[in-house]
Amino acid sequence: MTLEDVFKASKFPLSSEGKKFITDAFMVASEAHVGQKRKSGVDYIEHTLETAKILAEIGMESRTIAAGLLHDVPEDTAFTLEQVKEKFGAEVSDLVDGVTKLGKIKLRGSREEYFLENLRKMFLAMAADIRVVIIKLADRLHNMRTLGHLPSEKQERIARETMEIYAPIANRLGIGEIKGELEDLCFKYLDPENYAITKKLVKKHIHESDAYIKQTTDTYKKDLQKEGIPVIEISGRSKHIYRLFKKLQQHDMDMQRIYDLVAIRIIVPTITNCYEALGLVHKKYRPMVGRIKDYISLPKPNGYQSLHTTVFGPEGRILEIQIRTQKMHDEAEFGIAAHWIYTEKESKTWRNIIFRQNTVIPNKELEWVKQLQEWQKEIGRDDEEFLKSLKIDFFKNHIFAFTPKGDIIHLPEEATVVDFAYAIHSEVGSRIAGAKVDRKMVSLDYHIQNGQVVEILTSKEPRKPNRDWLESVKTSAAKSHIRKQLKKEKMP
Ligand code: MN
């Protein structure tokens, strides 16, 4: 692999200065790693080129790609971080430093401790500059692709860590492409038997449907164009194998009951076109009841937007169809990395984009990063408590509920109306006097269900929180506020 392959893989054309910068980084990296080999026997520089290529594919800018090339330099070669800084500036050396630090995790302690320590590091890096975590994900993805060359005990440990930490983080950052591939690679090492079974099933069924997909996408394209709906792209693709296996498990491993084995994806210019295209699809093919999902009006917690429907397609075969704009598509595939592109201004780093006021905060989805930072500030040094709550909030499935004005509030599953109140604002939480869910009065330990409208009734003055709430609330924000208020009450 050559540097030219990295340039060619880039989702967006790189400027000539960008290419020059990346080339300089490549020269330094190749010299620093000269003579070093990977376990597979190839030159070490291959690994850094592959990492850079993944970053280019998901649309990262030149400094991040350069940092990807340099990511193992200070740790594994005689070339120091100081020298990286002198040559490439503080931004690149901070990125490289961040990635190096993420790699240094003590292996002592229980698995649980190790997991939390790992997670804490990821979080701290994320709060400082999300690009560090994106580089780490690219690095891990290439290491997973080449995991076969390591001894088997190592394979299992690395695959497990990837499944538990890296894939969920990729998911949380909305980088569906990386998440899907990481899970599939882990699946192969963690459960080889089921991996083989699923793979075989896929091979048989996908092979059968190739011609069908081609024919179906062609038909749709013609139909849409006839109605004057412009189409940017229409394609069919099969589900990632690990996700498919999870679904098969719920359906007695019966392939006939999986409706979205193959999804047809329609990309159109505008949101209006999305709904027009959906209408057209439904006019022609009967939709399946209960499978129409409008993630454009109600995005998933990780920011995912699209219209989904399942129809009885040509020849009566069941098909899932996803309709979205180009921007939604890029965000679904590349997540936060796509925001980087859509919001990039040369002088702004991620930190500024996310945390500084008066800059564009790209989307609701970045809220959780800010939330994490807030919680850590509040909980301060009490690390263990923080990590425990972080683990719950970070990985639990989320639900969303609405304020009467229609604002969306994301909460973990089983969150109560008290959690909801604190999620709106600590002032609302501290004055909660009652709550209505879908216009009916409920008790304060009521568990909110997905999609409900919650109205919080407040008193004029802050009220003493009930100690029992500490048992029922699920978010760390609510917990820490309640504790603080209780402490205050104790004071004379
Ligand atoms: Mn590496």
Coordinates of all heavy atoms in Angstrom, one line a residue, residues 33 38 44 47-48 51 68 71-73 76 99 135-136 138-140 142-143, ligand 1:
H33 N 9.9 4.2 11.7 CA 9.6 2.8 11.8 C 10.4 1.9 11.0 O 10.2 0.7 10.9 CB 8.1 2.6 11.4 CG 7.1 3.1 12.4 ND1 7.0 2.6 13.7 CD2 6.2 4.1 12.3 CE1 6.0 3.2 14.3 NE2 5.5 4.1 13.5
R38 N 5.4 -5.9 11.4 CA 4.2 -6.3 12.2 C 4.3 -7.9 12.4 O 5.1 -8.5 11.7 CB 3.0 -6.0 11.3 CG 2.7 -4.6 11.1 CD 1.9 -4.0 12.3 NE 0.5 -4.4 12.2 CZ -0.4 -4.0 13.1 NH1 0.0 -3.3 14.2 NH2 -1.6 -4.4 13.0
Y44 N 6.1 -2.3 9.3 CA 5.2 -1.6 10.3 C 4.4 -0.5 9.7 O 3.3 -0.2 10.0 CB 6.0 -1.1 11.5 CG 5.1 -0.9 12.7 CD1 4.9 -1.9 13.6 CD2 4.4 0.3 12.8 CE1 4.0 -1.7 14.7 CE2 3.6 0.5 13.9 CZ 3.4 -0.5 14.8 OH 2.5 -0.3 15.8
H47 N 0.8 -0.7 8.7 CA -0.3 -0.5 9.7 C -0.7 1.0 9.9 O -1.8 1.4 9.9 CB 0.2 -1.0 11.1 CG -0.6 -0.5 12.3 ND1 -2.0 -0.9 12.4 CD2 -0.3 0.3 13.3 CE1 -2.4 -0.3 13.5 NE2 -1.5 0.4 14.1
T48 N 0.3 1.9 9.8 CA 0.0 3.3 10.0 C -0.7 3.8 8.7 O -1.5 4.7 8.7 CB 1.2 4.2 10.3 OG1 2.2 4.1 9.3 CG2 1.9 3.6 11.6
T51 N -4.3 2.7 8.9 CA -5.0 3.6 9.8 C -5.4 4.9 9.2 O -6.5 5.4 9.3 CB -4.1 3.8 11.1 OG1 -3.7 2.5 11.6 CG2 -4.9 4.6 12.1
G68 N -2.8 10.1 12.2 CA -3.0 8.7 12.1 C -1.7 8.0 11.6 O -1.3 6.9 12.1
H71 N 0.8 7.9 14.7 CA 0.2 7.5 16.0 C 1.1 6.6 16.8 O 1.0 6.6 18.0 CB -1.2 7.0 15.9 CG -1.3 5.6 15.5 ND1 -1.4 5.2 14.2 CD2 -1.4 4.4 16.2 CE1 -1.5 3.8 14.1 NE2 -1.5 3.4 15.4
D72 N 1.9 5.8 16.2 CA 2.7 4.9 17.0 C 4.2 5.3 17.1 O 5.0 4.6 17.6 CB 2.7 3.4 16.4 CG 1.4 2.7 16.7 OD1 0.9 2.9 17.9 OD2 0.9 1.9 15.9
V73 N 4.5 6.5 16.5 CA 5.9 7.0 16.5 C 6.5 7.2 17.9 O 7.5 6.6 18.2 CB 6.0 8.2 15.5 CG1 7.3 9.0 15.8 CG2 6.0 7.8 14.1
D76 N 6.8 3.8 19.9 CA 7.6 2.6 19.4 C 8.9 3.0 18.7 O 9.6 2.1 18.2 CB 6.7 1.8 18.4 CG 5.5 1.2 19.1 OD1 5.5 1.1 20.3 OD2 4.5 0.9 18.4
V99 N -3.6 9.6 21.6 CA -3.7 8.2 21.2 C -2.8 7.3 21.9 O -3.1 6.2 22.4 CB -3.5 8.1 19.6 CG1 -3.5 6.6 19.2 CG2 -4.5 8.9 18.9
I135 N -9.2 8.4 15.9 CA -7.9 7.8 15.4 C -7.7 6.4 16.1 O -7.4 5.4 15.4 CB -6.7 8.7 15.7 CG1 -6.8 10.0 15.0 CG2 -5.4 8.0 15.4 CD1 -5.8 11.1 15.4
K136 N -8.1 6.4 17.4 CA -7.9 5.1 18.1 C -8.9 4.0 17.5 O -8.5 2.9 17.4 CB -8.3 5.3 19.6 CG -8.0 4.2 20.5 CD -6.5 4.0 20.7 CE -6.2 2.6 21.3 NZ -4.8 2.2 21.2
A138 N -9.8 3.9 14.4 CA -9.2 3.4 13.1 C -8.1 2.5 13.3 O -7.9 1.4 12.7 CB -8.8 4.7 12.3
D139 N -7.2 2.8 14.3 CA -6.1 2.0 14.7 C -6.6 0.6 15.1 O -6.1 -0.5 14.7 CB -5.4 2.7 15.9 CG -4.3 1.8 16.5 OD1 -3.5 1.2 15.8 OD2 -4.3 1.8 17.8
R140 N -7.7 0.6 16.0 CA -8.2 -0.7 16.5 C -8.8 -1.5 15.3 O -8.7 -2.7 15.3 CB -9.2 -0.4 17.6 CG -9.9 -1.7 18.1 CD -9.0 -2.7 18.6 NE -8.1 -2.4 19.6 CZ -8.2 -2.8 20.9 NH1 -9.2 -3.6 21.2 NH2 -7.3 -2.4 21.8
H142 N -7.9 -1.6 12.2 CA -6.9 -2.3 11.4 C -6.3 -3.4 12.2 O -6.0 -4.5 11.7 CB -5.8 -1.4 10.9 CG -4.8 -2.1 10.1 ND1 -3.5 -2.3 10.5 CD2 -4.9 -2.8 8.9 CE1 -2.9 -3.0 9.6 NE2 -3.7 -3.3 8.6
N143 N -6.1 -3.2 13.5 CA -5.6 -4.3 14.4 C -6.6 -5.5 14.4 O -6.1 -6.6 14.4 CB -5.3 -3.8 15.8 CG -4.1 -3.0 15.9 OD1 -3.2 -3.1 15.0 ND2 -4.0 -2.1 16.9
Ligands
MN1 MN -1.3 1.3 16.1

